[in-house]
Amino acid sequence: MQSRTPVGRAGRPRSAAADTAILAATRQALVELGWSKLTLGDVATRAGVAKTTLYRRWAGKNELVVDAVAELFAELELPDRGSLAADIEGVVLQFAAILALPEARSGLMAVVAESTRDEALRARIRASIVEPQKHLVLEGRTRAQTRGELPPETDPDSSARTAELIFDVIAGAVVHRALVSSEPVDMDWSRDFTRLLLNGLTSPPTT
Amino acid sequence: MQSRTPVGRAGRPRSAAADTAILAATRQALVELGWSKLTLGDVATRAGVAKTTLYRRWAGKNELVVDAVAELFAELELPDRGSLAADIEGVVLQFAAILALPEARSGLMAVVAESTRDEALRARIRASIVEPQKHLVLEGRTRAQTRGELPPETDPDSSARTAELIFDVIAGAVVHRALVSSEPVDMDWSRDFTRLLLNGLTSPPTT
DNA sequence: ACGCTTTCGCTACGAGTCGTAGCGTAATGG
DNA sequence: CCATTACGCTACGACTCGTAGCGAAAGCGT
């Protein structure tokens, strides 16, 4: 993650156990203290590691929290639920479940905020958290096309743009509902959202 | 904003000029330093005020930045552009223009992150930044209904839920596109997004 | 078994920020 | 003119930061 160990290198290897302990301690500290009161010294103590070890592996708080939060988002999957609507509702609820974790709520938004002034950090967030989720959109669309629920793609450029658009709409809406409006992302909301995404505003509200 | 001055109270009144100077200095510091490196002492110096004056008016960094950022979002309007699609595209571009300001980018996301662990702060953000924008959705819908573009509302409960949903979708999508994907929210994207919102995924992409 | 190399834990350090207290002064209203 | 409140200024202990230096530990190659 943070600094690829050059294989075949001599000397004492970095403890892999320390890595997992540090990341777990970071998440625990995020839960108990939140982003602003989280200190690297505290994380080191929780993990049973020296503070200097932390600084040897991560450049700072930002990078550390990105890696700690990234592991929370690694488990998103897209089981085939039989219809495009059901697939979307399922992934929305999965995403919401992660955002219900305190360590994800405070950590994710904080690093995004910091990334507005740090291009390298922004790239790191995209690479380790955001991009890995985009396959969900592509899989869901392909699956819906084989079902006949969506027309096949014609222009590859338009196809890619639409996928990005859908991703921003889904992820953005769920995050905004959960963290800004701070209203529950439950099955009712997931259904309403999916209906809007599939049918649009102009179609009648099929109860 | 921060502490309602009890009118008819004796003693020296608080300087209104100091308020505006402090909030302007806060935004300037957000631009130059970003959220994490912004210190209240620095803001006080920029504003030409004593640090203690800052602490007398605001409880801390969070509350100060909320007020400073809130003023940026006060200018959102919804001019009648003739069609629902054009109205949506217009408000999306307005919102994107605000999010293009560095002081809005870093400040807004940071306080949202902090608000995940502070219910009072979350309420303050909603009251002074988020809620004042929801009338845009209501106005736009009413206007579209009088144009005949949308069917009139039947169930008042469903009507309110839909308005909240639309708000989360629009605001969330724009924020995610601008700050997470960090891709431009330009007229092309605004058009694509509006078409998706109006027609849904299942309708063919009318080029 | 023996160096060589790199990491580890520990301690200590100057620099910077925090939020508060205390004081004398300035600006209002009665 | 007096009570009241806000203001600017200074100083303070407590805390966090990121780094440096040290001896010890844990691997690798021969």
Side-chain angles (χ1 to χ4, degrees):
Chain A
M1 292 294 169
Q2 69 282 10
S3 65
R4 189 56 54 199
T5 307
V7 282
R9 202 77 190 85
R12 175 176 178 175
R14 289 191 168 172
S15 160
D19 259 48
T20 62
I22 290 172
L23 293 177
T26 303
R27 285 188 289 268
Q28 186 191 350
L30 275 176
V31 174
E32 297 179 15
L33 305 174
W35 162 267
S36 58
K37 295 185 179 176
L38 179 149
T39 71
L40 294 198
D42 185 62
V43 170
T45 305
R46 288 172 190 265
V49 211
K51 189 172 63 163
T52 44
T53 298
L54 262 171
Y55 280 101
R56 287 190 192 100
R57 306 192 181 196
W58 284 277
K61 197 165 152 178
N62 294 337
E63 291 77 10
L64 173 63
V65 172
V66 169
D67 287 1
V69 172
E71 296 189 340
L72 298 174
F73 287 88
E75 40 184 78
L76 278 175
E77 288 299 329
L78 190 67
D80 192 331
R81 295 167 180 264
S83 73
L84 175 57
D87 283 358
I88 294 176
E89 290 177 21
V91 77
V92 162
L93 291 178
Q94 278 186 68
F95 191 25
I98 296 178
L99 287 182
L101 302 172
E103 59 269 38
R105 300 167 74 91
S106 49
L108 181 64
M109 284 296 100
V111 293
V112 168
E114 290 300 310
S115 77
T116 58
R117 297 186 46 80
D118 186 340
E119 171 56 35
L121 182 62
R122 204 158 40 204
R124 189 191 190 97
I125 293 174
R126 275 204 303 274
S128 59
I129 300 182
V130 181
E131 291 291 338
Q133 315 303 336
K134 290 191 175 171
H135 75 99
L136 297 170
V137 174
L138 301 179
E139 284 182 18
R141 177 166 65 180
T142 306
R143 204 178 280 167
Q145 286 170 337
T146 62
R147 286 196 200 99
E149 295 174 301
L150 288 180
E153 299 299 321
T154 56
D155 181 26
D157 181 64
S158 158
S159 165
R161 282 219 324 276
T162 304
E164 298 275 337
L165 174 61
I166 295 171
F167 184 75
D168 282 329
V169 169
I170 296 180
V174 174
V175 169
H176 200 277
R177 166 82 174 180
L179 302 189
V180 179
S181 298
S182 71
E183 297 284 340
V185 178
D186 51 18
M187 288 184 56
D188 282 347
W189 188 86
S190 179
R191 248 191 298 269
D192 289 346
F193 170 73
T194 301
R195 181 158 49 221
L196 174 62
L197 182 59
L198 290 183
N199 302 329
L201 268 177
T202 52
S203 80
T206 43
T207 309
Chain B
M1 295 290 172
Q2 68 284 9
S3 64
R4 189 56 54 199
T5 305
V7 282
R9 202 77 189 84
R12 175 177 177 176
R14 290 192 168 171
S15 162
D19 259 48
T20 61
I22 290 172
L23 292 177
T26 302
R27 286 187 290 269
Q28 185 191 350
L30 275 177
V31 174
E32 297 179 14
L33 305 174
W35 163 267
S36 57
K37 295 185 179 175
L38 179 149
T39 71
L40 293 196
D42 184 61
V43 170
T45 305
R46 288 171 190 266
V49 221
K51 189 172 62 162
T52 44
T53 299
L54 262 171
Y55 281 100
R56 288 190 191 100
R57 305 191 182 196
W58 283 276
K61 197 165 151 177
N62 294 337
E63 291 76 10
L64 173 63
V65 171
V66 169
D67 287 1
V69 171
E71 294 188 340
L72 298 174
F73 287 87
E75 41 184 75
L76 277 175
E77 289 297 331
L78 189 67
D80 192 331
R81 294 167 179 264
S83 72
L84 176 56
D87 283 359
I88 295 176
E89 289 176 22
V91 77
V92 161
L93 290 178
Q94 278 187 68
F95 190 25
I98 296 178
L99 287 182
L101 302 172
E103 59 268 38
R105 299 167 74 92
S106 50
L108 181 63
M109 284 296 101
V111 293
V112 168
E114 289 300 309
S115 77
T116 59
R117 300 186 43 82
D118 186 340
E119 171 55 38
L121 182 63
R122 204 158 39 205
R124 189 191 189 96
I125 293 175
R126 275 204 302 273
S128 60
I129 300 182
V130 181
E131 291 290 339
Q133 314 304 336
K134 291 192 175 171
H135 75 98
L136 297 171
V137 174
L138 301 178
E139 283 182 18
R141 178 164 66 179
T142 305
R143 206 177 281 168
Q145 286 169 337
T146 60
R147 286 196 201 100
E149 295 174 299
L150 288 179
E153 299 299 321
T154 57
D155 181 27
D157 180 63
S158 157
S159 166
R161 282 219 323 276
T162 303
E164 298 274 338
L165 174 61
I166 295 171
F167 184 75
D168 283 329
V169 168
I170 296 180
V174 174
V175 169
H176 201 276
R177 166 83 175 178
L179 302 189
V180 179
S181 299
S182 72
E183 296 284 338
V185 178
D186 50 18
M187 288 183 57
D188 282 347
W189 188 88
S190 179
R191 246 191 299 269
D192 289 347
F193 170 74
T194 301
R195 182 158 48 220
L196 174 62
L197 182 60
L198 290 183
N199 301 330
L201 268 178
T202 52
S203 81
T206 42
T207 309

